[in-house]
């Protein structure tokens, strides 16, 4: 009987320590200000504009070429926090706290109380959760928190010895988090390998360890499919709202079949000379103008002399060399070039002064859509769909008549695979993994705001946050101390985490030779995490060498 009060005291002490851990991090972030990116039309400012329309009851606002290019969950999140009078940055740190707590609770049975507290502290102080981008209107932080909640509820769903009722409830919550995650970013497909491996390992474990019958196997399979019901409901709800407001039942327009068909038609035409990271080079565009009346309408906008998109790399290099770029852009370029293990972008940067302008991968989708809008086809989603369908038909017909040198028909935003990509992709894949585990790409000094007075006031109103000033600013001693503390914390992770990761990876691979270890739930969980991380790293490596 005496053991019970002692256990309660121990749990209370650990709970208080956990609260202190949370408080330490919040004390380092309490005066974090929002950095406005008022001129970032396709990211930060777009989310604010969409959130403002949602808060005014107009769904995503009046239709234009930007309305449906990003998943709607993050604007919904901003609008919800605005309605609840919760400052956006605090809400995002709070969501990450919930995700850390949920993830730690799911492993508590294996790690024990003290181990769980240590695990929680490690993920809570993850350097990515305190870096400069968490002080901006960017969806990465929310997306990471949702991914952690998907992982946590997947573990709960497939925990051995759980009743059907609890599994059903957890499956519904998992589906809702999966739906929110799916509608936050366009490349969310990387989470599916994680869930697939979890399901397969759970069913195999139930069959060979728990000796489940065929009836139990089918019941477990049904429970594994439960999350897809709320996931499909979330996706269908957004598609229905877009159908009602814009006339197309799509969640994100650039993932729609008609846009993928048009983009795939453009990229199936073979260039005279392969240019790295240029999906539709100038010589291809010239040949397309000759055979496609629809594409010919875009010529005045795509070929505008010294335009923002056509000469984007040249403009950036010119301003960078002159020291005229803002801090965010300059740091982004330096990180890209420093960690470009493939050499693709270093070569493009070095040749920018000597080569003629062209539209590179990071900019072509936006240049293409802006040109279509300038030609008058983005006044409505139905009109835009008709244009893209007509464009793809014209190009495919020209390919069939052998008027153009074409590869196979395709419907994708991803560039067509070439075996020349294999070597740089493998190199970049390893670099992505290394950067992820070494936390080398983060810095912690807040960036100054960009934008006019109207933009800054809009951000202040929608986020309910204090705004970082524009222009160069100097940090106070208190802020310098907090940033120095964050840097020291990150430095510890950079030193220790790579060793822990590669040691754990080695042990995991070693355990593959032991049947008992392979059938352990946490071996399946680790395999699922590694599979999804490898998938995401492969996607990022391919995008890097072909587009950005």
């Amino acid at each position: 009987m005496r053991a019970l009060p002692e256990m309660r005291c121990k749990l209370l002490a650990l709970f208080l320590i956990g609260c202190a851990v949370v408080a330490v991090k919040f004390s380092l972030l309490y005066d974090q200000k929002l950095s406005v990116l008022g001129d970032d039309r396709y990211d930060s400012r777009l989310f604010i504009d969409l959130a403002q329309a949602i808060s005014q009851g107009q769904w995503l606002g009046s239709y234009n070429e930007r309305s449906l290019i990003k998943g709607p969950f993050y604007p919904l999140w901003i609008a919800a926090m605005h309605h609840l009078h919760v400052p956006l940055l605090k809400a995002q740190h709070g969501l990450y706290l919930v995700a850390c707590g949920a993830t730690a609770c799911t492993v508590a049975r294996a790690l024990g109380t003290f181990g769980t507290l240590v695990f929680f502290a490690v993920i809570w102080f993850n350097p990515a959760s305190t870096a400069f981008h968490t002080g901006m209107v960017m969806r990465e932080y929310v997306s990471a928190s949702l991914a952690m909640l998907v992982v946590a509820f997947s573990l709960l769903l497939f925990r051995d010895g759980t009743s059907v009722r609890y599994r059903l409830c957890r499956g519904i919550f998992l589906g809702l988090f999966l739906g929110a995650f799916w509608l936050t970013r366009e490349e969310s497909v990387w989470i599916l390998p994680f869930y697939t491996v979890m399901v397969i390992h759970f069913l195999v474990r139930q069959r060979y360890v728990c000796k489940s019958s065929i009836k139990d196997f089918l019941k477990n399979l049904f429970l594994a499919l439960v999350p897809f019901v709320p996931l499909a409901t979330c996706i269908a709800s957004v598609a229905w709202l877009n159908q009602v407001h814009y006339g197309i039942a799509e969640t994100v327009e650039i993932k729609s079949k008609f846009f993928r068909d048009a983009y795939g038609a453009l990229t199936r035409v073979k260039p005279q000379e392969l240019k790295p990271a240029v999906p539709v080079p100038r010589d291809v565009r010239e040949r397309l103008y000759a055979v496609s009346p629809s594409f010919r309408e875009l010529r005045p906008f795509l070929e505008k002399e010294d335009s923002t998109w056509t000469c984007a790399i040249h403009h950036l290099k010119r301003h960078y060399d002159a020291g005229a770029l803002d801090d965010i852009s300059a740091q982004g370029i330096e990180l890209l070039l420093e960690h470009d293990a493939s050499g693709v972008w270093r070569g493009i940067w070095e040749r920018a002064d000597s080569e003629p302008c062209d539209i590179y991968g990071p900019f072509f989708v936006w240049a293409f859509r802006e040109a279509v809008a300038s030609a008058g086809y983005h006044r409505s989603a139905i009109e835009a769909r008709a244009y893209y369908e007509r464009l793809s038909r014209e190009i495919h017909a020209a390919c069939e008549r052998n008027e153009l040198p074409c590869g196979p028909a395709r419907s994708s935003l991803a560039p067509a695979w070439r075996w020349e990509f294999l070597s740089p992709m493998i190199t970049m894949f390893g670099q992505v993994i290394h950067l992820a585990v070494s936390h080398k790409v983060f810095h912690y000094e807040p960036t100054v705001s960009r934008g006019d007075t109207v933009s800054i006031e809009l951000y202040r109103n929608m986020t309910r946050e204090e705004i970082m000033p524009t222009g160069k600013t100097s940090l106070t001693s208190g802020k310098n101390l907090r940033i120095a503390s964050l840097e020291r914390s990150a430095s510890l992770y950079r030193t220790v985490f790579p060793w822990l990761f590669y040691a754990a990876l080695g042990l995991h691979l070693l355990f593959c030779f032991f049947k008992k270890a392979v059938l352990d739930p946490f071996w399946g969980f680790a395999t699922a995490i590694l599979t999804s991380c490898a998938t995401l790293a492969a996607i990022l490596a391919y995008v890097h060498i072909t587009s950005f």
Side-chain angles (χ1 to χ4, degrees), residues 6-22:
E6 290 178 2
M7 182 176 295
R8 287 177 177 172
C9 289
K10 181 180 178 181
L11 290 174
L12 178 60
L14 290 171
F15 174 75
L16 292 175
I17 294 172
C19 290
V21 169
V22 172

Side-chain angles (χ1 to χ4, degrees), residues 131-255:
F132 74 102
H133 68 276
T134 63
M136 302 175 182
V137 179
M138 297 179 73
R139 55 185 174 169
E140 282 75 10
Y141 198 15
V142 167
S143 177
S145 300
L146 292 171
M148 290 177 66
L149 287 168
V150 169
V151 168
F153 275 81
S154 297
L155 272 172
L156 290 173
L157 177 63
F158 298 121
R159 176 175 283 176
D160 294 334
T162 306
S163 68
V164 172
R165 184 177 64 179
Y166 280 116
R167 276 202 180 129
L168 190 61
C169 182
R170 291 166 181 175
I172 292 171
F173 275 102
L174 170 58
L176 292 174
F177 289 127
L178 191 56
F181 178 76
W182 195 267
L183 294 169
T184 300
R185 292 193 63 88
E186 293 69 60
E187 75 281 7
S188 301
V189 66
W190 67 267
I191 201 73
L192 293 183
F194 164 79
Y195 193 73
T196 302
V197 172
M198 288 289 289
V199 170
I200 293 172
H201 190 269
F202 173 71
L203 294 175
V204 170
R205 192 170 72 245
Q206 290 295 305
R207 181 66 177 159
Y208 289 99
V209 177
C210 302
K211 307 297 182 183
S212 62
S213 62
I214 296 298
K215 181 180 178 181
D216 289 333
F217 176 86
L218 294 175
K219 180 179 67 176
N220 289 327
L221 180 61
F222 166 77
L223 290 171
L225 296 176
V226 164
F228 291 97
V229 176
L231 168 62
T233 302
C234 291
I235 294 172
S237 298
V238 171
W240 175 78
L241 283 168
N242 288 337
Q243 174 69 46
V244 170
H245 287 83
Y246 309 117
I248 59 170
E250 304 286 349
T251 54
V252 179
E253 197 174 26
I254 62 173
K255 292 170 67 177

Side-chain angles (χ1 to χ4, degrees), residues 74 77-78 81 87-97 133-134 136-139 141-142 145:
Y74 189 51
W77 170 266
I78 297 171
M81 296 305 105
L88 181 65
L89 301 185
K90 281 72 174 177
Q92 292 179 172
H93 288 303
L95 178 63
Y96 184 69
L97 173 60
H133 68 276
T134 63
M136 302 175 182
V137 179
M138 297 179 73
R139 55 185 174 169
Y141 198 15
V142 167
S145 300

Side-chain angles (χ1 to χ4, degrees), residues 376-401:
Y377 291 109
H378 266 290
R379 289 186 291 259
S380 74
I382 296 173
E383 193 175 4
R385 178 174 60 189
Y387 172 83
Y388 290 120
E389 288 173 345
R390 185 170 69 252
L391 175 64
S392 59
R393 284 196 303 269
E394 291 172 0
I395 297 174
H396 290 317
C399 289
E400 290 171 5
R401 295 191 301 266

